[in-house]
Amino acid sequence: MGGFDVISVNVVQWSFVLLVCYDPRRTFSRLRIAKEGVSADGRADKRSLDGYWEQRYPEKLSERIPWVLTLLVSLRLSNWRIGEPSHDHTQPIKPMSRREFCHRATLLALQSFLILDITSAFVREDPYFHVSGTSIDDPWPIPQPSTSIYIEILRKLPPRIPRATILATQAYACITQGGSLPTIPVVAINALGFWPDEWSPQTWPIFFGPFSSVTERGLRGLWGGWWHQTNRYTTSTPGRTLSQALGISTASTLGYAILTTSAFLLSGMMHMGLVPSKPRETQLSASEMKLYIASFFWLQIPAFVFEIQVSAICERFSPALKGSSFARALTLFWVFSWMVFTLPLLAVPFRELRYWKYPPLPISIIGVITGRGLWNWT
């Protein structure tokens, strides 16, 4: 595709974190699953820890190579201790049973399928997702005879709300599907003894956190607790390191602002890689589309500042309001409103790049119900 992409930028950022912000050889330990809760050989750098043994930077080259290679792909630093209490107290990850994991992954895969199927039916009939220059606030097109009832219900809402919601739910469904359905065969191979436990998905943390984080902490909970944390350390660690170098606690308002700025500034730069350097048949240039994507992430920074200030004022003058059902509902409304306002920034380049040209699923239950047929890819 030419130029830089998401993966290459992520590799550069992760390399910077490991080489500049941390000293893995001195402070990192890999927590490895132990048979019967003890280490393999009882060496001094390996000690029993709740069914795990702790492996520091190995001296032997044969052990060091897999240690380093595992660290390079451990973007969430799961089952690693890194010398930071905020991270280390959550380790090691409590693994699921294979049955529990497969049950959960199957339900998530079905949920994602239904979300993509339902929203794709809406996308197919809405020119906003296909015609360049269409505003998210443009009125709905004239309904067709094949328009389903649920789409007619959505048409009663202001166009911006369903369109932004579809973008958000499709992003969630695609990421969830990718983290659930492909993992089931791997767990099955692990059950047969052909795949090690440490590389089997049931020993990893779940992809998304509890949605209650959003109602409790707003945007901070959405990005820091509920949404997947794959890029958390690659983007926020430089800000933490800068705060520590300046002697500023990340628990302070200034320190948290530095950390947040680092996270979203670098995340915006990384996601700019979704746009190829020379896109074909688009109305916007590559630079314009990259700026649209980056702006979505960069705008989260002032929103965080606003949210923190409002939360502080509310806690000062109405402490009883904190944690109440009203406060949770108000927080959810704030997050939803902000996402409806900012998500269209992502929709513009996605539309130009023809993300919605083809249905994401080969078959469609909604297609059968509405008479369009089972197969989408025809």
Side-chain angles (χ1 to χ4, degrees):
M1 62 187 282
F4 63 88
D5 55 35
V6 171
I7 295 177
S8 61
V9 175
N10 186 264
V11 169
V12 171
Q13 292 176 345
W14 188 226
S15 300
F16 179 85
V17 167
L18 294 178
L19 294 174
V20 178
C21 301
Y22 289 128
D23 185 359
R25 289 179 293 182
R26 184 175 62 86
T27 61
F28 279 31
S29 298
R30 183 184 176 190
L31 302 179
R32 308 195 61 180
I33 298 175
K35 300 299 182 181
E36 300 180 359
V38 296
S39 65
D41 56 10
R43 284 175 50 176
D45 64 342
K46 302 175 182 178
R47 50 194 174 87
S48 178
L49 181 72
D50 297 327
Y52 289 76
W53 51 278
E54 189 170 348
Q55 183 185 29
R56 296 189 178 277
Y57 186 72
E59 297 177 0
K60 294 176 60 176
L61 182 63
S62 60
E63 296 180 356
R64 187 184 307 165
I65 291 176
W67 191 94
V68 172
L69 292 178
T70 302
L71 175 59
L72 292 178
V73 298
S74 301
L75 297 181
R76 291 191 286 177
L77 293 174
S78 304
N79 292 331
W80 285 85
R81 290 195 164 177
I82 62 175
E84 291 184 359
S86 60
H87 169 82
D88 293 349
H89 86 278
T90 64
Q91 307 300 318
I93 300 298
K94 183 180 179 181
M96 298 183 187
S97 67
R98 296 186 187 94
R99 181 188 298 273
E100 180 186 6
F101 179 87
C102 289
H103 178 261
R104 184 178 186 278
T106 301
L107 291 179
L108 287 175
L110 291 174
Q111 170 192 272
S112 300
F113 176 88
L114 290 175
I115 290 174
L116 289 172
D117 193 18
I118 293 171
T119 55
S120 294
F122 189 95
V123 167
R124 184 184 296 111
E125 299 186 18
D126 188 355
Y128 171 73
F129 295 96
H130 306 283
V131 181
S132 298
T134 305
S135 169
I136 194 169
D137 296 311
D138 280 355
W140 301 114
I142 298 174
Q144 303 298 318
S146 60
T147 300
S148 58
I149 295 177
Y150 84 91
I151 292 181
E152 284 296 332
I153 295 174
L154 290 178
R155 286 172 174 270
K156 305 299 182 182
L157 299 171
R160 174 180 288 263
I161 295 177
R163 288 166 173 168
T165 303
I166 284 172
L167 175 58
T169 53
Q170 285 197 338
Y172 167 78
C174 287
I175 295 173
T176 303
Q177 187 74 279
S180 56
L181 188 61
T183 62
I184 297 176
V186 180
V187 175
I189 296 173
N190 170 253
L192 296 174
F194 298 114
W195 195 259
D197 288 343
E198 291 175 326
W199 290 94
S200 191
Q202 80 271 12
T203 65
W204 304 344
I206 58 177
F207 222 55
F208 282 78
F211 189 75
S212 58
S213 299
V214 181
T215 60
E216 292 172 358
R217 302 181 60 240
L219 290 174
R220 292 166 293 170
L222 186 152
W223 295 115
W226 177 65
W227 197 250
H228 74 87
Q229 303 295 299
T230 304
N231 303 309
R232 177 172 186 164
Y233 290 97
T234 58
T235 58
S236 65
T237 301
R240 183 184 300 276
T241 302
L242 177 61
S243 295
Q244 293 173 346
L246 297 175
I248 302 172
S249 171
T250 53
S252 66
T253 301
L254 179 57
Y256 189 76
I258 294 175
L259 188 148
T260 300
T261 301
S262 169
F264 286 107
L265 180 65
L266 295 178
S267 186
M269 294 172 61
M270 179 183 67
H271 284 89
M272 289 168 70
L274 291 170
V275 180
S277 59
K278 295 179 180 180
R280 301 174 60 183
E281 301 177 1
T282 60
Q283 300 296 319
L284 299 176
S285 68
S287 298
E288 289 174 315
M289 289 188 284
K290 289 176 185 290
L291 187 58
Y292 268 106
I293 292 176
S295 296
F296 168 77
F297 293 95
W298 295 345
L299 281 174
Q300 306 306 313
I301 300 172
F304 265 54
V305 174
F306 172 79
E307 184 176 273
I308 291 172
Q309 296 301 319
V310 172
S311 297
I313 294 173
C314 291
E315 289 181 13
R316 179 179 179 183
F317 293 100
S318 301
L321 190 64
K322 184 178 181 180
S324 66
S325 298
F326 176 76
R328 290 174 179 269
L330 194 62
T331 301
L332 185 60
F333 176 77
W334 145 246
V335 172
F336 180 78
S337 300
W338 179 251
M339 288 294 107
V340 167
F341 173 69
T342 56
L343 277 170
L345 291 169
L346 296 178
V348 172
F350 290 175
R351 179 179 60 204
E352 292 292 319
L353 295 172
R354 312 269 193 299
Y355 275 26
W356 291 289
K357 183 176 181 179
Y358 301 104
L361 300 171
I363 60 175
S364 170
I365 297 175
I366 298 298
V368 173
I369 296 174
T370 58
R372 296 184 63 90
L374 176 65
W375 296 101
N376 272 333
W377 296 350
T378 55

